[in-house]
């Protein structure tokens, strides 16, 4: 497999039964799709996502009419993650019984799987730190530990007003609040949403990833919306963000030039 570093261009034929044709040239870092309700932002994002949703394969698109040009152009696969905005109810009790009785929503289920990825991430980083220390590379070992520490600092800073702090002696994510220990499923919807986004980015391990986000500002306080892109880019400088939004706050911290209107890419 040869992985792409980012997506350069997306072409969608016959969006909405042949009435629209989309040609979108992407920035390697941040791409924000905007437009009025019903213009097709989420439809475009879902078309792109579905076209690569089988193991990130760029060569065998499941979704007809979607053409993706990546960098480098001979890349066969892309690493990707997707964040959806709605904290919807779980579909069935069978799924709930398979995991944890405290899980009551799709966002909880996403956090459950992210906890597993977080554990794998820590094992991987820990092994690499040990290897560097054995070779006498203390600076390299320290560098490897920084993203996790920064992630924890970010969450503590965001949750400061409610007095929640990550318990740093635990391998799984737990929070302390006035002497009580909380699990992620006990957080508010906005806290869960921000935790899911930043945890998703952390476990990407600073590799080139495409991060799809469909209206990630839902449930987020306006101050968190303004910080969102900056926090993501800090945790993974190699991520390419492709998101839809209705919120002016998301672009306030210098991202206005990253906005594309649906009408600008419609032929």
């Amino acid at each position: 497999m040869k992985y792409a570093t980012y997506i350069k261009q997306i072409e969608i034929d016959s969006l909405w039964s042949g009435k629209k044709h989309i040609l979108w040239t992407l920035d390697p870092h941040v791409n924000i799709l905007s437009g009025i309700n019903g213009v097709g932002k989420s439809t475009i994002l879902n078309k792109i996502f579905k076209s690569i949703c089988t193991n990130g394969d760029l060569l065998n698109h499941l979704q007809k009419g979607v053409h993706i040009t990546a960098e480098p152009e001979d890349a066969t696969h892309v690493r990707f993650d997707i964040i959806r905005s709605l904290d919807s109810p779980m579909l069935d009790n069978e799924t709930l019984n398979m995991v944890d009785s405290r899980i009551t929503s799709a966002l909880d289920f996403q956090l459950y799987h992210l906890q597993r990825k977080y554990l794998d991430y820590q094992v991987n980083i820990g092994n690499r730190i040990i290897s560097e220390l054995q070779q006498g590379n203390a600076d390299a070992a320290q560098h490897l530990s920084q993203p996790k520490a920064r992630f924890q600092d970010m969450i503590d800073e965001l949750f400061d007003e409610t007095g929640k702090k990550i318990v740093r002696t635990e391998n799984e994510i737990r929070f302390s609040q006035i002497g009580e220990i909380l699990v992620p499923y006990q957080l508010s919807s906005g806290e869960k949403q921000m935790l899911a986004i930043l945890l998703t980015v952390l476990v990407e391990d600073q590799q080139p990833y495409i991060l799809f986000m469909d209206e990630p500002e839902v449930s987020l306080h306006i101050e968190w919306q303004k910080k969102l892109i900056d926090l993501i880019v800090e945790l993974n400088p190699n991520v390419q963000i492709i998101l839809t939004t209705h919120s002016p706050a998301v672009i306030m911290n210098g991202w206005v030039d990253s906005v594309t209107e649906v009408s600008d890419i419609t032929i």
Side-chain angles (χ1 to χ4, degrees):
M1 292 184 189
K2 185 171 184 178
Y3 283 97
T5 54
Y6 64 92
I7 294 174
K8 293 200 296 187
Q9 189 177 77
I10 294 163
E11 188 172 2
I12 304 175
D13 298 327
S14 304
L15 187 70
W16 294 342
S17 303
K19 296 180 180 179
K20 301 284 185 181
H21 185 86
I22 300 297
L23 185 61
W24 190 9
T25 300
L26 298 174
D27 181 86
H29 304 295
V30 179
N31 302 271
I32 302 166
L33 192 60
S34 184
I36 61 172
N37 288 328
V39 78
K41 300 184 300 299
S42 294
T43 302
I44 292 169
L45 198 71
N46 285 328
K47 285 268 190 181
I48 301 166
F49 171 66
K50 287 179 181 178
S51 73
I52 60 173
C53 68
T54 300
N55 300 320
D57 192 340
L58 291 172
L59 301 180
N60 298 304
H61 292 170
L62 292 178
Q63 190 75 22
K64 292 182 180 179
V66 179
H67 310 278
I68 294 174
T69 304
E71 176 61 37
E73 292 191 6
D74 61 344
T76 59
H77 290 74
V78 63
R79 296 182 180 90
F80 67 93
D81 283 312
I82 185 163
I83 297 290
R84 299 193 183 278
S85 59
L86 298 179
D87 195 9
S88 56
M90 267 302 188
L91 296 178
D92 56 71
N93 289 328
E94 182 180 353
T95 304
L96 293 175
N97 293 333
M98 289 172 58
V99 286
D100 190 315
S101 61
R102 294 169 296 186
I103 295 175
T104 59
S105 71
L107 188 49
D108 288 342
F109 196 55
Q110 186 175 21
L111 284 168
Y112 171 83
H113 283 289
L114 281 169
Q115 285 270 36
R116 312 279 74 75
K117 289 184 178 181
Y118 182 58
L119 291 173
D120 290 342
Y121 167 81
Q122 291 177 95
V123 170
N124 179 36
I125 293 295
N127 289 337
R128 285 154 59 189
I129 288 174
I130 290 170
S131 177
E132 293 292 352
L133 289 174
Q134 288 174 340
Q135 297 174 58
N137 300 326
D139 288 345
Q142 175 67 22
H143 179 74
L144 285 169
S145 68
Q146 288 175 354
K148 176 185 170 182
R150 181 61 188 127
F151 160 78
Q152 293 171 329
D153 289 343
M154 285 178 179
I155 296 297
D156 282 352
E157 290 162 10
L158 290 166
F159 293 4
D160 182 63
E161 286 193 16
T162 59
K164 298 184 185 76
K165 289 189 177 296
I166 285 185
V167 180
R168 305 199 182 203
T169 55
E170 295 274 353
N171 289 324
E172 290 198 357
I173 293 178
R174 298 285 186 270
F175 296 90
S176 63
Q177 184 184 39
I178 319 175
E180 183 180 0
I181 299 299
L182 307 176
V183 295
Y185 318 126
Q186 295 173 283
L187 301 176
S188 71
S189 293
E191 289 170 332
K192 290 178 187 178
Q193 180 82 352
M194 184 61 92
L195 177 62
I197 293 170
L198 296 183
L199 191 51
T200 294
V201 176
L202 173 70
V203 299
E204 291 172 351
D205 198 11
Q206 298 196 336
Q207 296 185 85
Y209 262 80
I210 315 301
L211 180 62
F212 297 98
M213 296 193 291
D214 190 12
E215 298 183 15
E217 70 273 7
V218 174
S219 297
L220 298 185
H221 186 275
I222 188 169
E223 291 302 320
W224 288 10
Q225 292 179 33
K226 290 192 288 187
K227 296 175 180 179
L228 181 62
I229 294 176
D230 290 335
L231 293 175
I232 290 171
V233 172
E234 182 181 348
L235 272 182
N236 186 359
N238 297 308
V239 74
Q240 181 185 37
I241 299 170
I242 302 176
L243 69 86
T244 68
T245 186
H246 284 292
S247 173
V250 171
I251 65 174
M252 279 184 180
N253 283 357
W255 300 106
V256 174
D257 291 341
S258 299
V259 176
T260 298
E261 295 289 331
V262 172
S263 58
D264 294 334
I265 60 174
T266 304
I267 299 174

